[in-house]
């Protein structure tokens, strides 16, 4: 199993950012509840009660806890120990026993033998140092025929200039690591790593792009 201490300096720095804002993040309501519920509904249509699911960048655990009744077991990882702490408290208070919240980075996460039936990455792919490497990693973590469900801010589609702002915000400590790319860039990454795009939905202009990508069986 990975520990956050073995990943890059940039990723460790991200962990410190997310640790700092974890309590505030936990209190923030979902920005677009109707779209979030629709994403959950679509995700559930790909799940079965015997499945093993991995969620990376799980934050305070809301999505993993919402999907826990739909699968056998969920491994939910995050680089921020504060986020993981909040998620564990939520699991305990809601009596959910089939979700393991772990502090780990997706970058060097090792799958248990056999891999996962499904991998979930919500609001995370634009926050990674190397998106392509992580998409390849997810492909490797999935069983044949497994599905990768992801919702991603494709900032390059509506604010290319953010590329200039992001490093300044990061330097000042008010932004995490943020990468600017388009939905087409993301779809190309997924296809290049061997995924077929099964669903693509964007609730509106400037909203996160929701994708279900399938690994060949
Ligand atoms: C924007 S939050 C999204 C949280 C949750 N998925 C949601 O939709 O509310 C991004 C989360 O990803 C985590 N994260 C960032 N880089 C990561 C990495 N390389 N591996 C695992 N988690 C990471 C952060 O700590 C943070 O909790």
């Amino acid at each position: 199993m990975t520990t956050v201490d073995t990943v890059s300096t940039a990723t460790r720095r991200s962990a410190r950012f997310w640790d700092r804002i974890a309590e505030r993040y936990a209190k923030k309501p979902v920005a677009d509840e109707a779209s979030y519920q629709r994403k959950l509904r679509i995700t559930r249509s790909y799940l079965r009660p015997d499945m093993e699911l991995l969620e990376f960048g799980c934050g305070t655990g809301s999505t993993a806890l919402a999907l826990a009744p739909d699968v056998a077991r969920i491994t939910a990882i995050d680089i921020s120990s504060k986020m993981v702490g909040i998620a564990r408290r939520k699991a305990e208070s809601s009596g959910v026993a089939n979700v393991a919240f772990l502090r780990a980075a997706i970058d060097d996460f090792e799958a248990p033998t056999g891999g996962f039936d499904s991998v979930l990455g919500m609001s995370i792919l634009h926050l990674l140092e190397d998106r392509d490497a992580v998409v390849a990693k997810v492909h490797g973590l999935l069983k044949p025929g497994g599905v990768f469900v992801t919702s991603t801010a494709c900032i390059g589609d509506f604010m290319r200039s953010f590329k200039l702002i992001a490093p300044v915000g990061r330097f000042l400590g008010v932004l995490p690591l943020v990468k600017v790319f388009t939905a087409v860039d993301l779809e190309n990454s997924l296809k290049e790593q061997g995924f077929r795009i099964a669903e693509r939905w964007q609730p509106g202009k400037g909203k996160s792009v929701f994708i279900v990508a399938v690994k060949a069986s």
Side-chain angles (χ1 to χ4, degrees), residues 18 25 57 59 78-80 83 104-107 122-124 127-128:
W18 292 106
Y25 193 86
D78 199 287
I79 46 166
S80 158
M83 293 281 194
I106 184 61
D107 314 63
M122 307 297 271
S123 297
I124 171 77
L127 303 173
L128 300 169

Side-chain angles (χ1 to χ4, degrees), residues 4 7 11 14-15 17-19 21 25 30 36 55-63 77-81 83-84 104-107 120-124 126-129 134 151 176-177:
V4 171
V7 296
T11 304
S14 275
F17 173 88
W18 292 106
D19 275 346
I21 69 149
Y25 193 86
V30 176
Y36 177 63
E55 184 185 9
F56 66 95
C58 65
T60 62
S62 306
T63 302
I77 65 168
D78 199 287
I79 46 166
S80 158
S81 55
M83 293 281 194
V84 169
I106 184 61
D107 314 63
L120 213 65
M122 307 297 271
S123 297
I124 171 77
H126 59 294
L127 303 173
L128 300 169
E129 226 187 335
V134 169
S151 182
L177 171 74

Side-chain angles (χ1 to χ4, degrees), residues 10 19 23-24 41 46 48 51 59 85 95 97 104 157 163 168 188-190 207:
D19 275 346
E23 290 293 344
R24 250 181 301 144
R41 272 199 305 281
Y46 287 87
R48 286 192 321 267
M51 282 185 165
D157 284 330
K163 243 184 186 142
V168 180
N188 287 340
S189 290
L190 290 161
K207 299 268 179 105

Side-chain angles (χ1 to χ4, degrees), residues 144-161:
V147 291
F148 178 28
V149 178
T150 181
S151 182
T152 309
C154 297
I155 301 167
D157 284 330
F158 59 94
M159 211 203 296
R160 285 208 89 81
S161 58

